[in-house]
């Protein structure tokens, strides 16, 4: 497990004043809830984010995350790979947002009682929010269709070999012979 390039819990205001910016990867071992929500997280999460004070004086975090995960397709039951991408722009200055009357337009993150910010779990939350409610292959995916065709073929074949349909045909013959 590689080390994290940032602290799991940080001082949001201080990092914003310092214009702290990060371009790093997050080992999946640090993201237990994401691992739990997927079959597999296939690669470390690429993370780029920065803290800054925006033009209205609000302490802000902005960035994006990307990784590849696998899910079970709820249509065909096969495992498939999906890229999860999240982008975010959030502030911790709820009071200032309210005084500017933009609290509905900005995403406000909560700080802990002691004023610290759970950076790692915030990033994990951003990825969790990108997980689709229903996980399936893309519409029209070949892999998903192959299974449909296979099942269709099986049904066609089983009709021919069905002993009951042969019995029904025999009964029909006997009727005609009477
Ligand atoms: Zn599928």
């Amino acid at each position: 497990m590689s080390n994290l390039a940032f602290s799991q819990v940080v001082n949001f205001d201080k990092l914003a004043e310092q214009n702290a910016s990060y371009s790093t990867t997050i080992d999946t071992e640090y993201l237990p809830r994401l691992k739990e929500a997927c079959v597999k997280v296939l690669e470390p999460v690429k993370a780029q984010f920065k803290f800054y004070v925006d033009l209205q004086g609000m302490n802000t975090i902005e960035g994006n995350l990307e990784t590849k995960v696998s899910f079970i397709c709820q249509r065909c039951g096969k495992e498939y790979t999906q890229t999860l991408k999240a982008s975010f722009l959030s502030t911790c200055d709820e009071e200032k947002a309210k005084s500017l009357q933009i609290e509905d337009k900005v995403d406000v993150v909560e700080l802990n009682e002691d004023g610290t910010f759970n950076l790692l779990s915030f990033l994990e939350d951003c990825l969790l929010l990108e997980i689709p409610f229903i996980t399936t292959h893309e519409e029209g995916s070949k892999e998903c269709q192959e299974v449909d065709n296979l099942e269709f073929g099986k049904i066609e074949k089983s009709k021919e070999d069905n002993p009951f349909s042969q019995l029904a045909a025999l009964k029909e013959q006997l009727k005609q012979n009477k």
Side-chain angles (χ1 to χ4, degrees):
M1 173 150 102
S2 61
N3 288 331
L4 272 182
F6 52 88
S7 304
Q8 298 193 21
V9 181
V10 299
N11 183 324
F12 199 122
D13 298 332
K14 205 171 168 186
L15 289 177
E17 280 160 27
Q18 292 171 345
N19 284 318
S21 83
Y22 300 85
S23 179
T24 185
T25 56
I26 306 169
D27 197 288
T28 60
E29 294 303 314
Y30 291 103
L31 305 163
R33 288 180 296 141
L34 181 67
K35 282 173 78 173
E36 186 81 6
C38 309
V39 178
K40 268 187 233 113
V41 183
L42 301 166
E43 60 182 29
V45 174
K46 294 183 206 105
Q48 286 189 318
F49 55 94
K50 58 187 178 181
F51 291 86
Y52 61 95
V53 183
D54 80 355
L55 294 172
Q56 285 161 313
M58 295 201 299
N59 293 339
T60 302
I61 180 172
E62 181 177 3
N64 55 72
L65 303 163
E66 185 176 331
T67 189
K68 278 199 180 73
V69 300
S70 65
F71 295 118
I72 295 293
C73 172
Q74 291 176 29
R75 206 185 297 136
C76 70
K78 279 198 269 182
E79 194 173 326
Y80 73 103
T81 302
Q82 186 168 336
T83 302
L84 279 189
K85 283 184 190 178
S87 55
F88 49 88
L89 175 60
S90 306
T91 179
C92 64
D93 280 330
E94 189 169 12
E95 290 306 314
K96 201 168 278 176
K98 275 185 184 156
S99 72
L100 292 163
Q101 294 184 319
I102 54 167
E103 74 267 25
D104 297 336
K105 295 192 182 84
V106 293
D107 181 54
V108 179
V109 295
E110 271 187 35
L111 299 181
N112 300 319
E113 274 178 26
D114 64 358
T116 57
F117 173 55
N118 296 329
L119 176 57
L120 180 62
S121 82
F122 166 78
L123 296 173
E124 190 173 25
D125 285 345
C126 288
L127 279 170
L128 288 170
L129 287 171
E130 295 302 318
I131 293 178
F133 184 62
I134 297 172
T135 54
T136 60
H137 281 103
E138 269 178 48
E139 199 65 44
S141 155
K142 267 186 190 168
E143 230 185 319
C144 232
Q145 282 175 349
E146 269 171 27
V147 168
D148 285 348
N149 290 341
L150 201 69
E151 279 176 3
F152 184 66
K154 268 185 207 156
I155 292 162
E156 284 297 298
K157 199 165 176 259
S158 68
K159 251 185 214 165
E160 287 165 24
D161 299 341
N162 187 335
F164 295 103
S165 65
Q166 283 171 11
L167 192 66
L170 189 66
K171 274 185 183 167
E172 200 62 49
Q173 265 183 2
L174 291 172
K175 254 190 225 167
Q176 283 170 5
N177 291 344
K178 265 184 189 169

